């Protein structure tokens, strides 16, 4: 990350930014040259600086300011920490937080576990048609969240959905996928696992290919079986990719919005209401912008805290 | 499914444990692949049927003849055609501009020394961990203030300086040899000429990866367009589909046909360019 090659000093008089005509005679006015040399990177960075400050940095502070306000009769008033205080006593917020955490602690390990198994299988020379399978598992990721939400809502339909048809045709009862609190969560977990497992497997696969084969040969000579090789060579070798995927999936799942919006609308009985959905409802259904901004800040705090802890724990274990 | 019937060890020979392991492994991976692909196959079949046929028991498993009916119905009712056009315009312009913005920034971060470089780069990367929802309300209010609700620029600009894209380009630009840049400068090329004529052409694979990410991200984006495109004439595809889905008497034949239309272009793009896509996904994440 930190390795950057430095451009060596330019020969004196070389035309720099903006002088595209290139035929300008070499001038030895070093002050001018230095100024231009210094300005060059900022010219290249200008669009990003403007866009980033305008649409990222500024809104972040704007949101902070909003989170201390309330709309009282059409007038925005400063209310101090009232929104944050209200959050603590808001049962719906706690429900949303609990739902989000429940989905997180089940979905992320399930998906990453499957992705590791899949990556090991896809990396195995014993597997036939490897390149076909790599594409097949990766295809769901191109499907947008709305598209796969709609697709799954049709597949999971209680009366006539394809999945319940398959269940009943082998003699199992229908499952109320989207209308029962437990199964609604399970549906969201299933849909997310379907969508993201292949993407994580590809990351593991790349890391696996960087583990030197001699390690396995040496282990085999020492009489280590496949299982021991997996625990003592494969898993430790996967650690950098593991850290990355754990942190990224956690960040993503904590912000979960699209799947419950399309699949369950947060229901039944708020069983799939996530923090992201609650924020959306507060802002764009109740038009309570101050409260929504406070929820956003609490969410950002949780995301940061969790990913910092994960990074520290997983890094320490690596040492 | 053929993999499931893969023959075990050939008869009349010593059973070879490697061969049977190979067959079992392939069978399991194939089963998983079927689970991954069945929803797509079902989507294709469903788009050719009426709602009644889709939800009949037993369900239709072979393509029917309603695809054109669904399609024309979709384009007649609501403003689906407008949504397709909006999505195409916005995603294409966004991709082109995003490539320019991210690659120039990546170049500056990778190939120049300047004060505040590391701090700026750290802030940009740190913003990856910032939940998008935090800026949702402020961005909405900004769009209202600027009069950019329902506009293309309101959709395109806020997400243009994509942290991941800048990171991807910086990683890629680091591989450009400094000697090459020196040579260009000695030959009298200006900075922009060096960038566009020397650097950009050598970056084609990385730019392809970036292009796919940008296009896919914008094409599939949902929450932000949902809140800033309030007028049906400004809907993008995902917003239009979600709205259709919310309607009480949903015509699932049409809805699933629309879903298929939203997926097929990116699926085709992906199948042609998947090696770049994978390269982009892995950029910098894993030490090679």
């Amino acid at each position: 990350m930190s390795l950057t090659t430095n451009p060596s000093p330019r020969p004196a008089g070389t035309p720099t930014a903006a002088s595209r005509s290139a035929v300008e005679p070499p001038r030895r006015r070093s002050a001018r040259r230095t100024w231009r040399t210094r300005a060059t990177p900022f010219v290249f960075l200008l669009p990003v600086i403007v866009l980033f400050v305008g649409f990222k940095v500024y809104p972040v502070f704007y949101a902070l300011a909003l989170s201390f306000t309330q709309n009282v009769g059409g007038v925005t008033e400063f209310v101090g920490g009232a929104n944050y205080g209200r959050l603590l006593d808001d049962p719906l917020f706690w429900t949303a937080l609990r739902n989000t955490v429940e989905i997180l602690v089940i979905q992320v390990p399930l998906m990453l576990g499957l992705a590791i198994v899949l990556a090991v299988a896809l990396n195995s020379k014993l597997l036939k048609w490897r390149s076909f399978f790599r594409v097949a598992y990766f295809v769901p990721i191109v499907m947008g969240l709305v598209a796969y939400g709609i697709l799954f809502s049709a597949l999971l339909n209680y009366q006539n959905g394809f999945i319940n048809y398959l269940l009943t045709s082998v003699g199992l009862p229908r499952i109320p996928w989207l209308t029962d609190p437990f199964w609604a969560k399970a549906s969201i977990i299933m849909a997310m696992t379907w969508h993201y497992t292949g993407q994580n497997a590809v990351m593991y696969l790349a890391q696996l290919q960087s583990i030197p084969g001699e390690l396995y040969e040496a282990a085999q000579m020492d009489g280590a079986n496949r299982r021991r090789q997996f625990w003592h060579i494969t898993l430790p070798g996967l650690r950098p990719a593991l850290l990355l995927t754990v942190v990224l999936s956690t960040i993503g799942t904590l912000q979960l919005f699209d799947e419950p919006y399309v699949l369950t609308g947060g229901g039944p009985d708020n069983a799939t209401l996530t923090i992201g959905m609650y924020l959306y409802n507060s802002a764009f259904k109740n038009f309570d912008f101050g409260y929504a901004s406070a929820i956003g800040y609490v969410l950002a705090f949780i995301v940061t805290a969790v990913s910092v802890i994960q990074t520290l724990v997983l890094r320490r274990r690596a040492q | 499914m053929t993999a499931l019937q893969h023959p075990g060890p050939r008869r009349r020979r010593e059973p070879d444990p490697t061969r049977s392991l190979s067959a079992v492994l392939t069978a399991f991976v194939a089963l998983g692949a079927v689970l991954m692909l069945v929803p797509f196959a079902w989507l294709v079949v469903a788009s050719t049927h009426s709602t009644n046929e889709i939800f009949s028991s037993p369900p239709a498993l072979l393509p029917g003849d309603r695809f054109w009916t669904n399609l024309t119905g979709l384009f007649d009712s609501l403003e689906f055609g407008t949504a397709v056009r909006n999505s195409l315009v916005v995603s294409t312009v966004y991709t082109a501009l995003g490539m320019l913005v991210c690659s120039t920034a990546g170049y500056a971060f990778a190939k120049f020394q300047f004060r505040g470089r590391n701090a700026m780069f750290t802030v940009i990367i740190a913003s990856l961990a910032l939940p998008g929802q935090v800026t949702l309300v402020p961005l909405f209010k900004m769009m209202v203030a600027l009069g950019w609700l329902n506009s293309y620029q309101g959709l395109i600009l806020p997400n243009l300086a994509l942290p991941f894209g800048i990171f991807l380009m910086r990683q890629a630009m680091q591989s450009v040899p400094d000697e090459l840049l020196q040579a260009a400068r000695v030959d009298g090329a200006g900075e922009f000429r060096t960038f566009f004529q020397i650097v950009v052409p050598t970056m084609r694979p990385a730019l392809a990866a970036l292009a796919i990410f940008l296009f896919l991200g914008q094409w599939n984006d949902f929450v932000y367009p949902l809140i800033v495109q309030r007028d049906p004439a400004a809907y993008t595809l995902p917003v239009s589909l979600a709205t259709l889905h919310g309607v009480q008497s949903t015509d699932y034949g049409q809805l699933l046909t629309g879903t298929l239309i939203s997926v097929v272009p990116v699926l085709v793009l992906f199948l042609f360019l998947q090696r770049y896509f994978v390269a982009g996904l892995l950029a910098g994440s894993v030490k090679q």
Side-chain angles (χ1 to χ4, degrees):
Chain A
M1 293 263 301
S2 59
L3 272 180
T4 314
T5 42
N6 309 327
S8 34
R10 230 181 298 244
T14 309
T16 48
S19 64
R20 295 186 63 191
S21 50
V23 281
E24 195 184 318
R27 257 184 250 156
R28 290 175 195 282
R29 290 174 53 185
S30 66
R32 188 184 168 84
R33 194 204 71 211
T34 316
W35 187 85
R36 274 198 176 164
T37 313
R38 284 211 184 135
T40 306
F42 293 101
V43 173
F44 280 103
L45 277 173
L46 191 67
V48 160
I49 294 173
V50 171
L51 291 165
F52 196 77
V53 171
F55 294 115
K56 209 78 164 188
V57 179
Y58 172 70
V60 165
F61 287 103
Y62 192 179
L64 185 64
L66 276 173
S67 76
F68 296 112
T69 67
Q70 243 165 40
N71 192 329
V72 186
V75 184
T76 306
E77 282 180 10
F78 180 80
V79 292
N83 286 323
Y84 293 94
R86 186 177 144 198
L87 266 177
L88 292 175
D89 293 327
D90 182 349
L92 260 188
F93 172 73
W94 290 106
T95 305
L97 182 61
R98 197 175 56 240
N99 290 337
T100 309
V101 171
E102 279 176 11
I103 293 173
L104 176 77
V105 296
I106 296 171
Q107 198 270 331
V108 172
L110 173 74
M111 168 183 72
L112 296 185
L114 284 174
I116 291 177
V117 173
L118 179 62
V120 171
L122 289 175
N123 197 37
S124 167
K125 291 189 179 62
L126 292 175
L127 183 71
K128 296 174 194 298
W129 311 304
R130 278 196 286 175
S131 45
F132 165 74
F133 286 132
R134 277 179 205 183
V135 176
Y137 278 93
F138 207 52
V139 154
I141 202 65
V142 303
M143 208 166 180
L145 295 151
V146 170
Y148 94 87
I150 290 173
L151 176 56
F152 271 69
S153 76
L155 286 169
L156 295 171
N157 183 287
Y158 178 69
Q159 267 307 322
N160 306 305
F162 184 61
I163 293 179
N164 273 351
Y165 166 76
L166 291 180
L167 288 177
T168 51
S169 62
V170 294
L172 292 168
R174 287 174 204 279
I175 290 176
W177 292 107
L178 301 172
T179 47
D180 173 83
F182 172 81
W183 289 110
K185 262 189 205 114
S187 300
I188 286 180
I189 289 171
M190 267 172 36
M192 291 172 76
T193 306
W194 178 81
H195 197 228
Y196 295 108
T197 300
Q199 177 181 340
N200 289 291
V202 168
M203 291 187 172
Y204 294 144
L205 194 56
Q207 186 83 66
L208 283 178
Q209 285 162 356
S210 74
I211 301 175
E214 299 92 67
L215 281 182
Y216 289 100
E217 283 160 29
Q220 213 153 19
M221 301 245 278
D222 291 343
N225 60 21
R226 276 174 200 281
R227 189 173 300 163
R228 286 184 67 100
Q229 289 176 25
F230 176 78
W231 285 108
H232 293 283
I233 302 174
T234 309
L235 266 191
L238 274 180
R239 199 163 264 141
L242 209 56
L243 173 67
L244 185 81
T245 52
V246 166
V247 173
L248 287 183
S249 317
T250 303
I251 292 175
T253 309
L254 283 172
Q255 301 178 45
L256 190 62
F257 172 82
D258 302 45
E259 285 93 342
Y261 183 93
V262 180
L263 269 181
T264 58
D269 198 17
N270 293 322
T272 56
L273 183 79
T274 60
I275 305 180
M277 267 212 88
Y278 191 45
L279 188 157
Y280 174 85
N281 289 346
S282 302
F284 299 104
K285 282 199 176 140
N286 306 335
F287 294 98
D288 203 344
F289 287 147
Y291 196 50
S293 299
I295 298 174
Y297 258 85
V298 171
L299 178 61
F301 175 77
I302 296 173
V303 167
T304 312
V306 172
S307 43
V308 166
I309 291 168
Q310 282 175 339
T311 308
L312 290 178
V313 169
L314 286 167
R315 277 229 181 107
R316 179 170 305 164
R317 222 180 272 166
Q319 279 153 12
Chain B
M1 289 297 279
T2 46
L4 290 173
Q5 287 117 43
H6 183 77
R10 290 275 146 80
R11 267 139 236 103
R12 314 212 169 221
R13 219 189 269 174
E14 201 60 21
D16 178 352
T18 316
R19 279 180 75 101
S20 56
L21 188 65
S22 166
V24 170
L25 187 69
T26 307
F28 268 104
V29 175
L31 183 67
V34 168
L35 290 177
M36 289 287 145
L37 295 178
V38 154
F40 279 108
W42 186 84
L43 178 63
V44 172
V45 172
S47 72
T48 63
H49 288 283
S50 68
T51 305
N52 283 340
E53 288 163 347
I54 292 168
F55 290 130
S56 65
S57 187
L61 293 178
L62 292 172
D65 55 3
R66 294 265 308 193
F67 182 75
W68 286 109
T69 319
N70 285 338
L71 198 65
T72 48
L74 195 61
F75 278 91
D76 284 344
S77 72
L78 289 137
E79 321 224 359
F80 190 80
T82 318
V84 172
R85 203 186 60 223
N86 287 339
S87 269
L88 276 175
V89 171
V90 168
S91 302
T92 311
V93 174
Y94 174 81
T95 304
L97 290 177
M99 285 167 77
L100 185 70
V101 166
C102 293
S103 60
T104 49
Y107 178 60
F109 280 125
K111 287 292 161 195
F112 290 92
Q113 281 255 302
F114 54 91
R115 185 176 284 209
R117 184 184 70 176
N118 292 340
M120 269 172 74
F121 189 69
T122 306
V123 169
I124 288 176
I125 294 307
S127 78
L128 275 170
L130 188 80
Q133 284 101 327
V134 172
T135 54
L136 212 52
V137 170
L139 282 175
F140 173 73
K141 296 196 91 173
M142 285 167 70
M143 293 306 133
V144 173
L146 290 165
W148 283 5
L149 287 185
N150 305 315
S151 74
Y152 285 160
Q153 70 270 28
L155 268 191
I156 291 170
L157 292 179
N159 233 346
L160 207 51
L162 194 74
F164 177 75
I166 297 167
F167 176 73
L168 185 76
M169 284 296 106
R170 176 182 173 268
Q171 297 292 102
M173 296 285 180
Q174 282 173 348
S175 69
V176 177
D178 287 326
E179 293 74 26
L180 196 64
L181 303 179
Q182 283 309 317
R185 285 171 187 144
V186 169
D187 287 349
E191 288 296 339
F192 288 108
R193 204 163 151 180
T194 308
F195 179 73
F196 285 108
Q197 293 194 346
I198 310 288
V199 177
V200 167
T202 63
M203 287 291 106
R204 242 179 246 144
L207 284 168
L210 177 67
I212 299 170
F213 267 92
L214 291 167
F215 190 86
L216 206 63
Q218 185 69 48
W219 182 263
N220 287 332
D221 193 17
F222 176 54
V223 196
Y224 181 66
L226 178 71
I227 64 159
V228 297
Q229 307 302 84
R230 325 285 297 179
D231 178 356
Y235 282 176
T236 58
L237 252 180
V239 178
S240 170
L241 285 173
T243 311
L244 267 173
H245 186 230
V247 177
Q248 278 292 311
S249 57
T250 305
D251 183 332
Y252 264 92
Q254 286 184 15
L255 181 63
L256 291 167
T257 305
T259 305
L260 185 68
I261 287 173
S262 79
V263 177
V264 164
V266 286
L267 190 62
V268 170
L269 191 74
F270 165 76
L271 289 177
F272 276 107
L273 301 173
Q274 49 116 352
R275 70 198 171 98
Y276 296 117
F277 190 80
V278 172
L281 194 71
L282 299 176
S285 66
V286 174
K287 281 187 193 127
Q288 299 281 6

